[in-house]
Amino acid sequence: MNTAPLPTVLACGAWLKNAACLLVDGAPVWSAVHGDLSDPAACAALEASVEALLAGHGAPIAAVAHDLHPDFFSTQLAVQLAAALGVPAIGVQHHHAHIAAVVAEHRIEGPVIGLALDGVGLGTDGQAWGGELLWVDGAQWQRLGHLVPLALPGGDRAAREPWRMAASALHALGQGDQIPSHFASQVGEPVAAGVQQMLAKNLNCPATSSTGRWFDAAAGALGLSVRQTDEAQAAIALEAAAARWLAAHPDTTALPGAVIDAQNRVDLRGLMPALFDAGPDGADAAAAGFHLALADTLADWAVRAASERGSRDVCLGGGCFFNRILRERVTERLQAAQLRVHRPLDKGCGDAGLALGQAWAAVQQLAASASQEHTTKETEPCA
């Protein structure tokens, strides 16, 4: 039995709710949570934290792990530290890290299915991900499916203005010509018409599979949020509306229209007409139906993947699982299928715990490389 200690890895986290983590023989040593790295004070705090983590531990660092996004301060710091220490800098995809964090915290052995649902994380294809079905097994992982992408009219601005995501959903339904009539009263005719044209011509409209942006689209379609000044404000309003309805109507059923398509993508476009047609009096009921449809389809997606991959463990990660209705409904459905459901505990499901997943994934990669090197040496012919 191999009892050698695991390599020690430092991970620098991502951008939002940043925290660093030193993984020492499988046990995490955390920094404080620094906050978002758009704040120079948070960047300075991260630098001080990694210096303290390195100074407080005697064993040599084997690698420094980081997010794939090259513009994050945490990524740049990790690359600089790795170069100074003479060790590898290992990039770990954002949603892989979310699931890996759950695997590490629960010390799960063997392959898992992961549902990673959040606002955004850079994918291996350079696109914005955020609604991901993953398979993770040690150093290996695979993207099995994702939510059908929505366009982001105006790029990052669309994440701050949920009405734009609702307009994007109309365009995805082939009803882009209705954007001005739906939204002119809220944002003005010129702006609404401009977004219609952006979508029609695919100008500054990057695509995203983000679950968070689908929540925004639903909230925008119901008129619950036009612009948001705080993170997840629209999604929180949507959940509150759904919770009000479900408290009074616990037997509510899911809206029809969500499907898993032939490409193993969850397609939510079929839910949107009911939201646009709900009106103020039907908004709470439609919000509830949307939540239940999303949760049930996600659970069916994961159950199918678990059966195909021969895994009984499903890990839930990403900030969308702060949503209690989504979290509890998905968990109940998965447990009804006799699956073991795991979610982050210590740091919550958002980015504050992401560095643990980065470090764990890097350790697995180092261990796999070492094993491969050992096997190669054993099979080399004698001179």
Side-chain angles (χ1 to χ4, degrees):
M1 181 178 178
N2 184 11
T3 58
L6 295 170
T8 299
V9 169
L10 174 69
C12 291
W15 183 262
L16 299 175
K17 314 285 188 300
N18 177 271
C21 179
L22 189 68
L23 198 60
V24 184
D25 199 19
V29 181
W30 284 98
S31 74
V33 176
H34 306 115
D36 299 351
L37 296 183
S38 56
D39 182 356
C43 297
L46 173 59
E47 284 193 89
S49 287
V50 298
E51 289 174 8
L53 287 171
L54 293 173
H57 183 72
I61 304 299
V64 184
H66 59 84
D67 193 88
L68 293 185
H69 203 300
D71 296 335
F72 287 176
F73 176 80
S74 54
T75 298
Q76 295 166 1
L77 178 62
V79 171
Q80 293 166 8
L81 279 171
L85 294 169
V87 299
I90 298 178
V92 180
Q93 198 279 324
H94 189 90
H95 302 95
H96 177 203
H98 270 307
I99 301 307
V102 183
V103 175
E105 185 174 12
H106 292 273
R107 296 183 178 269
I108 303 169
E109 299 288 341
V112 305
I113 299 301
L115 280 173
L117 313 178
D118 63 7
V120 66
L122 184 65
T124 54
D125 59 0
Q127 300 297 309
W129 293 7
E132 310 306 315
L133 180 69
L134 305 181
W135 170 80
V136 177
D137 185 13
Q140 298 180 306
W141 74 282
Q142 186 178 349
R143 187 192 199 196
L144 302 178
H146 56 85
L147 268 60
V148 164
L150 277 177
L152 292 161
D156 290 343
R157 186 172 180 179
R160 300 189 296 273
E161 300 183 9
W163 79 270
R164 289 175 178 257
M165 296 312 305
S168 180
L170 266 182
H171 174 76
L173 288 167
Q175 299 171 16
D177 59 334
Q178 298 181 23
I179 291 172
S181 61
H182 269 285
F183 299 108
S185 63
Q186 299 173 26
V187 303
E189 174 75 26
V191 174
V195 165
Q196 176 193 358
Q197 288 300 308
M198 290 173 67
L199 287 161
K201 297 178 180 178
N202 195 27
L203 296 174
N204 192 20
C205 288
T208 179
S209 60
S210 166
T211 312
R213 299 293 77 78
W214 273 104
F215 274 119
D216 290 349
L222 290 170
L224 297 174
S225 179
V226 177
R227 297 177 179 86
Q228 52 187 346
T229 55
D230 298 318
E231 183 187 359
Q233 186 175 351
I236 291 169
L238 187 72
E239 181 187 4
R244 285 192 299 269
W245 182 264
L246 291 172
H249 306 86
D251 295 330
T252 298
T253 58
L255 283 175
V259 298
I260 301 169
D261 69 15
Q263 298 171 261
N264 202 32
R265 306 180 306 174
V266 167
D267 189 347
L268 302 178
R269 287 175 293 182
L271 300 177
M272 298 306 295
L275 305 188
F276 283 109
D277 294 341
D281 293 339
D284 288 3
F290 176 86
H291 273 80
L292 300 182
L294 173 61
D296 291 354
T297 309
L298 291 171
D300 291 345
W301 203 30
V303 168
R304 178 191 298 182
S307 175
E308 292 173 351
R309 293 283 171 155
S311 174
R312 305 304 301 169
D313 294 284
V314 180
C315 297
L316 311 180
C320 289
F321 282 112
F322 282 122
N323 183 309
R324 181 185 60 80
I325 299 170
L326 180 68
R327 181 180 68 249
E328 292 182 357
R329 180 83 167 197
V330 169
T331 298
E332 289 168 3
R333 294 286 295 245
L334 293 174
Q335 290 175 337
Q338 307 302 311
L339 296 174
R340 294 183 291 266
V341 183
H342 312 273
R343 62 177 186 268
L345 300 174
D346 181 35
K347 299 293 182 182
C349 54
D351 285 2
L354 197 74
L356 173 58
Q358 292 174 341
W360 182 90
V363 166
Q364 300 301 311
Q365 184 173 323
L366 291 170
S369 297
S371 175
Q372 184 177 12
E373 183 178 342
H374 178 72
T375 301
T376 300
K377 287 182 177 179
E378 282 190 339
T379 57
E380 285 178 352
C382 297

